[in-house]
Amino acid sequence: MSDILQKLHQGDQRVLARCISMVENETTGYEEFLQQLSFDKHIPITGITGPPGAGKSTLINALVKKLSEQNKKIAIIAIDPSSPFNHGAIMGDRLRMSEHFLHPNVFIRSMATRGSLGGLAPKVFEVADIFRAANFDHIIIETVGVGQSEVEIAALADTTVLVLVPEAGDEIQTLKSGIMEIADVFVVNKSDRDGADIFYKNLIVLAHTYIRDGWEAPVIKTIATKSDGIEELAEAIEKHHHMAQNSDKKIHLLAEKALMMIKNIRTKDIPFSKIESALKEESREKNFNLYQFVRKYV
């Protein structure tokens, strides 16, 4: 185990891939492995979230290109929607990020949601910590884009970037009561489209109502396909990272992370297949009650 940890710390990508697979598959000894991880420095985690079609992957492509030009090592966790039947990733290993696939300083890992409703994958916390132990300079997580339930990303990321497009202007009142509140940086992507300026101004007003810990989320206009606004976005993320390290929000997020891990451990002995099999039989019974069914597992 010490040899694996040493190679991981040195950035051995083959060992890194093996460690991630070990944790995802819950191979014997993975819990002891996680408990032995050590972190020499703070490595910022940026969450990129937003509705489908906002251009999150294209934005990440441009952002990674900018960071890699500064000789930074970047890890990307790309959360893919999964099949509701076999729980495997639908999109696979990120064809839309193929530009960086062979870059020596960029490591991309796809993870399936496996039925999770919060925009993240079940083992994403652990995989992010493996990346931290491997001494990357920056970790970027792209959520699946499922809408307002994506608030889980705020429990993991130091900085959450909410990507929207001008067409979302009609939905802004709905968004305001959901994922808008978790954003540390707003991005108006595809800002060359009609209505972008009006949407941009409305977001600035909205951001002013959500000031937390002295931080007012900046609103940045980008055209990811042309890398317009990417430098400004990188600077805003960097600025917030420095501020986030010393805020009360950091402790709150650690508590959220710990609680989620505790929940996962307590439900570990109740596999999905067991629930599905039991439901197949019991749901056919007359007057079946799901609440009574659930209590048997509590």
Side-chain angles (χ1 to χ4, degrees), residues 135-204:
N135 280 323
F136 281 89
D137 296 308
H138 205 120
I139 300 168
I140 297 174
I141 300 175
E142 178 193 359
T143 68
V144 73
V146 293
Q148 291 187 27
S149 61
E150 286 188 298
V151 294
E152 275 185 14
I153 188 63
L156 174 58
D158 298 294
T159 298
T160 301
V161 177
L162 176 59
V163 185
L164 300 167
V165 287
E167 291 82 358
D170 295 336
E171 305 167 17
I172 196 147
Q173 293 302 318
T174 304
L175 288 167
K176 189 163 79 171
S177 62
I179 57 175
M180 300 295 282
E181 298 174 30
I182 69 170
D184 299 305
V185 178
F186 291 104
V187 169
V188 180
N189 194 28
K190 306 179 183 179
S191 59
D192 51 344
R193 291 186 176 180
D194 291 341
D197 289 337
I198 294 173
F199 184 50
Y200 171 77
K201 291 174 182 175
N202 288 340
L203 271 179
I204 290 176

Coordinates of all heavy atoms in Angstrom, one line a residue, residues 135-204:
N135 N -1.4 15.4 -6.3 CA -0.8 16.7 -6.4 C -1.1 17.4 -7.7 O -0.2 17.9 -8.4 CB 0.7 16.5 -6.3 CG 1.2 16.5 -4.8 OD1 0.6 17.2 -4.0 ND2 2.1 15.6 -4.5
F136 N -2.3 17.3 -8.1 CA -2.8 18.2 -9.2 C -2.8 19.6 -8.7 O -3.0 19.9 -7.5 CB -4.1 17.7 -9.8 CG -4.0 16.5 -10.7 CD1 -4.1 15.3 -10.1 CD2 -3.9 16.7 -12.0 CE1 -4.0 14.1 -11.0 CE2 -3.8 15.6 -12.9 CZ -3.9 14.3 -12.3
D137 N -2.8 20.6 -9.7 CA -2.8 22.0 -9.3 C -4.3 22.5 -9.2 O -4.6 23.4 -8.5 CB -2.0 22.8 -10.3 CG -0.6 22.5 -10.2 OD1 0.0 22.5 -9.1 OD2 0.0 22.3 -11.3
H138 N -5.1 21.8 -10.0 CA -6.5 22.3 -10.1 C -7.4 21.1 -10.4 O -7.0 20.3 -11.3 CB -6.6 23.3 -11.2 CG -7.8 24.3 -11.0 ND1 -7.6 25.6 -10.8 CD2 -9.1 24.1 -10.9 CE1 -8.8 26.2 -10.6 NE2 -9.7 25.3 -10.7
I139 N -8.6 21.0 -9.8 CA -9.5 19.9 -10.1 C -10.8 20.6 -10.6 O -11.3 21.5 -9.9 CB -9.8 19.1 -8.9 CG1 -8.5 18.4 -8.4 CG2 -10.9 18.0 -9.1 CD1 -8.6 17.7 -7.0
I140 N -11.3 20.1 -11.7 CA -12.6 20.7 -12.3 C -13.6 19.6 -12.3 O -13.3 18.5 -12.8 CB -12.3 21.3 -13.7 CG1 -11.4 22.5 -13.6 CG2 -13.7 21.7 -14.3 CD1 -11.0 23.0 -14.9
I141 N -14.8 19.8 -11.8 CA -15.9 18.8 -11.9 C -17.0 19.4 -12.7 O -17.5 20.5 -12.4 CB -16.4 18.5 -10.5 CG1 -15.2 17.9 -9.7 CG2 -17.5 17.5 -10.5 CD1 -15.5 17.6 -8.2
E142 N -17.4 18.7 -13.7 CA -18.6 19.1 -14.5 C -19.8 18.2 -14.1 O -19.7 17.0 -14.2 CB -18.3 18.9 -16.0 CG -19.5 19.3 -16.9 CD -19.4 18.8 -18.3 OE1 -18.4 18.2 -18.7 OE2 -20.4 19.0 -19.1
T143 N -20.8 18.8 -13.7 CA -22.0 18.0 -13.3 C -22.8 17.7 -14.5 O -22.6 18.2 -15.6 CB -22.9 18.8 -12.3 OG1 -23.5 19.9 -12.9 CG2 -22.1 19.3 -11.1
V144 N -23.8 16.8 -14.3 CA -24.5 16.2 -15.4 C -25.5 17.2 -16.1 O -25.9 17.0 -17.2 CB -25.2 14.9 -15.0 CG1 -26.4 15.2 -14.1 CG2 -25.6 14.1 -16.2
G145 N -25.9 18.2 -15.3 CA -26.8 19.2 -15.9 C -28.3 18.7 -15.8 O -29.0 18.6 -16.8
V146 N -28.7 18.5 -14.6 CA -30.1 18.0 -14.4 C -31.0 19.1 -13.8 O -32.2 18.8 -13.5 CB -30.1 16.8 -13.4 CG1 -29.4 15.6 -14.1 CG2 -29.4 17.1 -12.1
G147 N -30.5 20.3 -13.6 CA -31.4 21.3 -13.2 C -31.2 21.7 -11.7 O -30.1 21.7 -11.2
Q148 N -32.3 22.0 -11.0 CA -32.2 22.6 -9.7 C -31.7 21.7 -8.6 O -31.2 22.1 -7.6 CB -33.5 23.2 -9.3 CG -33.9 24.4 -10.1 CD -35.2 25.0 -9.5 OE1 -35.5 24.9 -8.3 NE2 -35.9 25.7 -10.3
S149 N -31.7 20.4 -8.9 CA -31.2 19.4 -7.9 C -29.7 19.3 -7.8 O -29.1 18.5 -7.1 CB -31.8 18.0 -8.1 OG -31.4 17.5 -9.4
E150 N -29.0 20.1 -8.6 CA -27.5 20.1 -8.7 C -26.8 20.7 -7.5 O -25.6 20.9 -7.6 CB -27.0 20.7 -10.0 CG -27.3 19.8 -11.2 CD -26.6 20.4 -12.5 OE1 -27.0 21.5 -12.9 OE2 -25.8 19.7 -13.0
V151 N -27.5 21.0 -6.5 CA -26.9 21.8 -5.4 C -25.8 21.0 -4.7 O -25.1 21.5 -3.9 CB -28.0 22.2 -4.4 CG1 -28.9 23.3 -5.0 CG2 -28.8 21.0 -3.9
E152 N -25.8 19.6 -4.9 CA -24.7 18.8 -4.2 C -23.3 19.3 -4.6 O -22.4 19.1 -3.8 CB -24.8 17.4 -4.7 CG -25.8 16.6 -3.9 CD -25.8 15.1 -4.3 OE1 -24.9 14.7 -5.0 OE2 -26.7 14.4 -3.9
I153 N -23.1 19.9 -5.7 CA -21.8 20.4 -6.1 C -21.3 21.4 -5.1 O -20.1 21.5 -4.9 CB -21.8 20.9 -7.6 CG1 -20.4 21.2 -8.1 CG2 -22.7 22.2 -7.6 CD1 -19.5 20.0 -8.2
A154 N -22.1 22.1 -4.5 CA -21.7 23.2 -3.5 C -21.0 22.5 -2.3 O -20.3 23.2 -1.6 CB -22.9 24.0 -3.1
A155 N -21.4 21.3 -2.0 CA -20.8 20.6 -0.9 C -19.4 20.0 -1.2 O -18.7 19.6 -0.3 CB -21.7 19.4 -0.4
L156 N -19.0 20.1 -2.4 CA -17.7 19.5 -2.9 C -16.8 20.6 -3.4 O -15.6 20.6 -3.0 CB -17.9 18.5 -3.9 CG -16.7 17.9 -4.6 CD1 -15.8 17.2 -3.5 CD2 -17.1 16.8 -5.6
A157 N -17.3 21.5 -4.1 CA -16.4 22.5 -4.8 C -16.1 23.7 -3.9 O -16.9 24.1 -3.1 CB -17.1 23.0 -6.1
D158 N -14.8 24.2 -4.0 CA -14.5 25.4 -3.3 C -15.2 26.6 -4.0 O -15.6 27.6 -3.4 CB -13.0 25.6 -3.4 CG -12.2 24.5 -2.7 OD1 -12.4 24.4 -1.4 OD2 -11.5 23.8 -3.3
T159 N -15.3 26.5 -5.3 CA -15.9 27.5 -6.1 C -16.9 26.9 -7.1 O -16.5 25.9 -7.9 CB -14.8 28.3 -6.9 OG1 -14.0 29.0 -6.0 CG2 -15.5 29.4 -7.8
T160 N -18.1 27.3 -7.1 CA -19.1 26.8 -8.0 C -19.4 27.8 -9.1 O -19.8 29.0 -8.8 CB -20.4 26.5 -7.3 OG1 -20.1 25.5 -6.3 CG2 -21.5 25.9 -8.2
V161 N -19.3 27.4 -10.4 CA -19.5 28.3 -11.5 C -20.8 27.8 -12.2 O -21.0 26.7 -12.6 CB -18.4 28.2 -12.6 CG1 -18.7 29.1 -13.8 CG2 -17.0 28.6 -11.9
L162 N -21.8 28.8 -12.2 CA -23.1 28.5 -12.9 C -23.1 29.0 -14.3 O -23.0 30.2 -14.5 CB -24.2 29.1 -12.0 CG -25.6 28.9 -12.6 CD1 -26.0 27.4 -12.8 CD2 -26.6 29.6 -11.7
V163 N -23.2 28.1 -15.2 CA -23.2 28.5 -16.7 C -24.6 28.6 -17.2 O -25.4 27.6 -17.1 CB -22.4 27.5 -17.5 CG1 -22.2 28.0 -18.9 CG2 -21.0 27.3 -16.9
L164 N -24.9 29.7 -17.7 CA -26.3 29.9 -18.3 C -26.1 30.5 -19.7 O -25.0 30.9 -20.1 CB -27.1 30.9 -17.4 CG -27.3 30.4 -16.0 CD1 -27.9 31.6 -15.2 CD2 -28.3 29.3 -16.0
V165 N -27.2 30.5 -20.5 CA -27.2 31.1 -21.8 C -28.3 32.1 -21.9 O -29.3 32.1 -21.0 CB -27.4 30.0 -22.9 CG1 -26.2 29.2 -23.1 CG2 -28.6 29.1 -22.6
P166 N -28.3 33.1 -22.8 CA -29.3 34.2 -22.9 C -30.7 33.7 -22.9 O -31.6 34.3 -22.4 CB -28.9 34.9 -24.2 CG -27.4 34.7 -24.3 CD -27.2 33.3 -23.8
E167 N -30.9 32.5 -23.5 CA -32.3 31.9 -23.6 C -32.9 31.6 -22.3 O -34.1 31.4 -22.1 CB -32.3 30.7 -24.5 CG -32.0 31.0 -26.0 CD -30.6 31.1 -26.3 OE1 -29.7 31.0 -25.4 OE2 -30.2 31.3 -27.5
A168 N -32.0 31.5 -21.2 CA -32.5 31.2 -19.9 C -33.2 32.4 -19.2 O -33.7 32.2 -18.1 CB -31.3 30.7 -19.0
G169 N -33.2 33.5 -19.9 CA -33.8 34.7 -19.3 C -35.2 34.5 -18.8 O -35.6 35.1 -17.8
D170 N -36.0 33.8 -19.6 CA -37.4 33.6 -19.3 C -37.6 32.7 -18.0 O -38.6 32.7 -17.4 CB -38.1 32.9 -20.5 CG -38.2 33.8 -21.7 OD1 -38.1 35.1 -21.5 OD2 -38.4 33.3 -22.8
E171 N -36.5 31.9 -17.7 CA -36.6 31.0 -16.6 C -36.0 31.5 -15.3 O -35.8 30.8 -14.3 CB -35.9 29.7 -17.0 CG -36.4 29.0 -18.2 CD -35.5 27.9 -18.7 OE1 -34.6 27.5 -17.9 OE2 -35.5 27.6 -19.9
I172 N -35.5 32.8 -15.4 CA -34.7 33.3 -14.3 C -35.4 33.3 -12.9 O -34.8 33.1 -11.9 CB -34.2 34.7 -14.6 CG1 -33.0 35.0 -13.7 CG2 -35.2 35.8 -14.5 CD1 -31.9 35.9 -14.3
Q173 N -36.7 33.5 -12.9 CA -37.4 33.5 -11.7 C -37.5 32.1 -11.0 O -37.4 31.9 -9.8 CB -38.9 34.0 -11.9 CG -39.0 35.5 -12.2 CD -38.3 36.4 -11.2 OE1 -38.5 36.2 -10.0 NE2 -37.6 37.4 -11.7
T174 N -37.6 31.1 -11.9 CA -37.5 29.7 -11.4 C -36.1 29.4 -10.9 O -35.9 28.8 -9.8 CB -37.9 28.7 -12.5 OG1 -39.2 29.1 -13.0 CG2 -38.0 27.3 -12.0
L175 N -35.1 29.7 -11.7 CA -33.7 29.5 -11.3 C -33.4 30.1 -10.0 O -32.6 29.6 -9.2 CB -32.8 29.9 -12.4 CG -32.8 29.1 -13.7 CD1 -32.1 29.9 -14.8 CD2 -32.1 27.8 -13.5
K176 N -33.9 31.3 -9.8 CA -33.6 32.1 -8.6 C -33.8 31.3 -7.3 O -33.1 31.5 -6.4 CB -34.4 33.4 -8.6 CG -33.9 34.4 -7.6 CD -34.4 35.8 -7.9 CE -35.9 36.0 -7.5 NZ -36.3 37.4 -7.6
S177 N -34.8 30.5 -7.3 CA -35.1 29.8 -6.1 C -34.4 28.5 -5.9 O -34.6 27.8 -4.9 CB -36.6 29.5 -6.0 OG -37.0 28.7 -7.1
G178 N -33.5 28.1 -6.9 CA -32.8 26.9 -6.9 C -31.3 27.0 -6.9 O -30.7 27.6 -6.0
I179 N -30.7 26.6 -8.0 CA -29.3 26.6 -8.2 C -28.6 28.0 -8.2 O -27.4 28.1 -8.0 CB -28.8 25.8 -9.4 CG1 -29.5 26.3 -10.7 CG2 -29.2 24.3 -9.2 CD1 -29.0 25.6 -11.9
M180 N -29.4 29.0 -8.4 CA -28.8 30.4 -8.4 C -28.1 30.7 -7.1 O -27.1 31.3 -7.1 CB -29.9 31.4 -8.7 CG -30.7 31.3 -10.0 SD -29.7 31.5 -11.4 CE -29.5 33.3 -11.4
E181 N -28.6 30.1 -6.0 CA -28.1 30.5 -4.7 C -26.7 29.8 -4.4 O -26.1 30.3 -3.5 CB -29.1 30.0 -3.6 CG -30.4 30.8 -3.8 CD -31.5 30.2 -2.8 OE1 -31.1 29.8 -1.7 OE2 -32.7 30.3 -3.1
I182 N -26.4 28.8 -5.2 CA -25.1 28.1 -4.9 C -23.9 28.7 -5.7 O -22.8 28.4 -5.5 CB -25.2 26.6 -5.2 CG1 -25.3 26.4 -6.7 CG2 -26.3 26.0 -4.4 CD1 -25.2 24.9 -7.1
A183 N -24.2 29.6 -6.7 CA -23.2 30.1 -7.6 C -22.2 31.1 -6.9 O -22.7 32.0 -6.2 CB -23.8 30.8 -8.8
D184 N -20.9 30.9 -7.1 CA -19.9 31.8 -6.7 C -19.5 32.7 -7.9 O -19.0 33.8 -7.7 CB -18.7 31.1 -6.1 CG -19.0 30.3 -4.9 OD1 -19.6 30.8 -4.0 OD2 -18.8 29.0 -4.9
V185 N -19.7 32.2 -9.1 CA -19.4 32.9 -10.3 C -20.5 32.6 -11.3 O -20.9 31.4 -11.5 CB -18.0 32.5 -10.9 CG1 -17.8 33.3 -12.2 CG2 -16.9 32.8 -9.9
F186 N -21.1 33.6 -11.9 CA -22.1 33.4 -13.0 C -21.4 33.6 -14.3 O -20.6 34.5 -14.5 CB -23.2 34.5 -12.9 CG -24.1 34.3 -11.7 CD1 -24.0 35.2 -10.6 CD2 -25.1 33.3 -11.7 CE1 -24.8 35.0 -9.5 CE2 -25.9 33.2 -10.6 CZ -25.8 34.0 -9.5
V187 N -21.8 32.7 -15.3 CA -21.2 32.9 -16.6 C -22.4 32.9 -17.6 O -23.3 32.1 -17.6 CB -20.3 31.7 -17.0 CG1 -20.0 31.7 -18.5 CG2 -19.0 31.7 -16.2
V188 N -22.4 33.9 -18.4 CA -23.4 34.0 -19.5 C -22.6 33.5 -20.8 O -21.9 34.3 -21.4 CB -23.9 35.4 -19.7 CG1 -24.9 35.5 -20.9 CG2 -24.6 35.9 -18.5
N189 N -22.8 32.3 -21.1 CA -22.1 31.7 -22.3 C -22.9 32.0 -23.5 O -24.1 32.3 -23.4 CB -21.8 30.2 -22.0 CG -20.8 29.7 -23.0 OD1 -20.0 30.4 -23.5 ND2 -21.0 28.4 -23.4
K190 N -22.3 31.8 -24.7 CA -22.9 32.1 -26.0 C -23.5 33.5 -25.9 O -24.6 33.8 -26.4 CB -24.0 31.1 -26.2 CG -23.5 29.6 -26.2 CD -24.6 28.6 -26.4 CE -24.1 27.2 -26.2 NZ -25.1 26.2 -26.4
S191 N -22.6 34.5 -25.4 CA -23.1 35.8 -25.2 C -23.2 36.7 -26.5 O -23.5 37.9 -26.4 CB -22.2 36.5 -24.2 OG -20.8 36.6 -24.7
D192 N -22.9 36.0 -27.6 CA -23.1 36.7 -28.9 C -24.5 36.6 -29.4 O -24.9 37.1 -30.4 CB -22.1 36.2 -29.9 CG -22.1 34.7 -30.1 OD1 -22.6 34.0 -29.1 OD2 -21.6 34.2 -31.1
R193 N -25.4 35.8 -28.6 CA -26.8 35.6 -29.0 C -27.6 36.8 -28.6 O -27.3 37.6 -27.7 CB -27.3 34.3 -28.4 CG -26.6 33.1 -29.0 CD -27.3 31.8 -28.4 NE -26.8 30.6 -29.0 CZ -27.2 29.4 -28.7 NH1 -28.1 29.2 -27.8 NH2 -26.6 28.3 -29.2
D194 N -28.8 36.9 -29.3 CA -29.8 37.9 -29.0 C -30.2 37.8 -27.5 O -30.4 36.7 -27.0 CB -31.0 37.8 -29.8 CG -30.7 38.1 -31.3 OD1 -29.7 38.7 -31.6 OD2 -31.5 37.7 -32.2
G195 N -30.3 39.0 -26.9 CA -30.8 39.1 -25.5 C -29.7 38.9 -24.5 O -30.0 38.9 -23.2
A196 N -28.5 38.7 -24.9 CA -27.4 38.5 -23.9 C -27.2 39.7 -23.0 O -26.9 39.5 -21.8 CB -26.1 38.1 -24.7
D197 N -27.2 40.9 -23.6 CA -26.9 42.1 -22.8 C -28.0 42.3 -21.7 O -27.6 42.6 -20.5 CB -26.8 43.3 -23.7 CG -25.6 43.3 -24.5 OD1 -24.6 42.6 -24.1 OD2 -25.6 44.0 -25.6
I198 N -29.2 42.1 -22.0 CA -30.3 42.3 -21.0 C -30.2 41.2 -20.0 O -30.3 41.5 -18.8 CB -31.7 42.2 -21.7 CG1 -31.9 43.4 -22.7 CG2 -32.8 42.2 -20.7 CD1 -33.1 43.3 -23.5
F199 N -29.9 40.0 -20.4 CA -29.8 38.9 -19.4 C -28.6 39.1 -18.5 O -28.7 38.9 -17.3 CB -29.6 37.5 -20.2 CG -29.6 36.3 -19.3 CD1 -30.5 36.1 -18.3 CD2 -28.6 35.4 -19.5 CE1 -30.5 35.0 -17.5 CE2 -28.5 34.3 -18.7 CZ -29.5 34.1 -17.7
Y200 N -27.5 39.6 -19.0 CA -26.3 39.9 -18.3 C -26.6 40.9 -17.2 O -26.3 40.8 -16.0 CB -25.3 40.4 -19.2 CG -24.0 41.0 -18.6 CD1 -23.0 40.2 -18.1 CD2 -23.8 42.4 -18.6 CE1 -21.9 40.7 -17.5 CE2 -22.7 42.9 -18.0 CZ -21.7 42.1 -17.5 OH -20.6 42.6 -16.9
K201 N -27.3 42.0 -17.5 CA -27.7 43.1 -16.6 C -28.6 42.5 -15.5 O -28.5 42.9 -14.3 CB -28.3 44.2 -17.3 CG -27.3 45.0 -18.2 CD -28.0 46.1 -19.0 CE -27.0 46.8 -19.9 NZ -27.7 47.8 -20.8
N202 N -29.6 41.7 -15.9 CA -30.5 41.1 -14.9 C -29.7 40.2 -13.9 O -30.0 40.2 -12.7 CB -31.6 40.3 -15.6 CG -32.6 41.2 -16.3 OD1 -32.7 42.4 -16.0 ND2 -33.3 40.6 -17.3
L203 N -28.8 39.5 -14.4 CA -28.0 38.6 -13.5 C -27.1 39.4 -12.5 O -27.0 39.0 -11.4 CB -27.0 37.7 -14.4 CG -27.6 36.4 -14.8 CD1 -26.6 35.6 -15.6 CD2 -28.0 35.5 -13.6
I204 N -26.6 40.5 -13.0 CA -25.8 41.4 -12.1 C -26.7 41.9 -10.9 O -26.3 41.9 -9.7 CB -25.2 42.6 -12.8 CG1 -24.1 42.1 -13.8 CG2 -24.7 43.7 -11.9 CD1 -23.6 43.2 -14.7

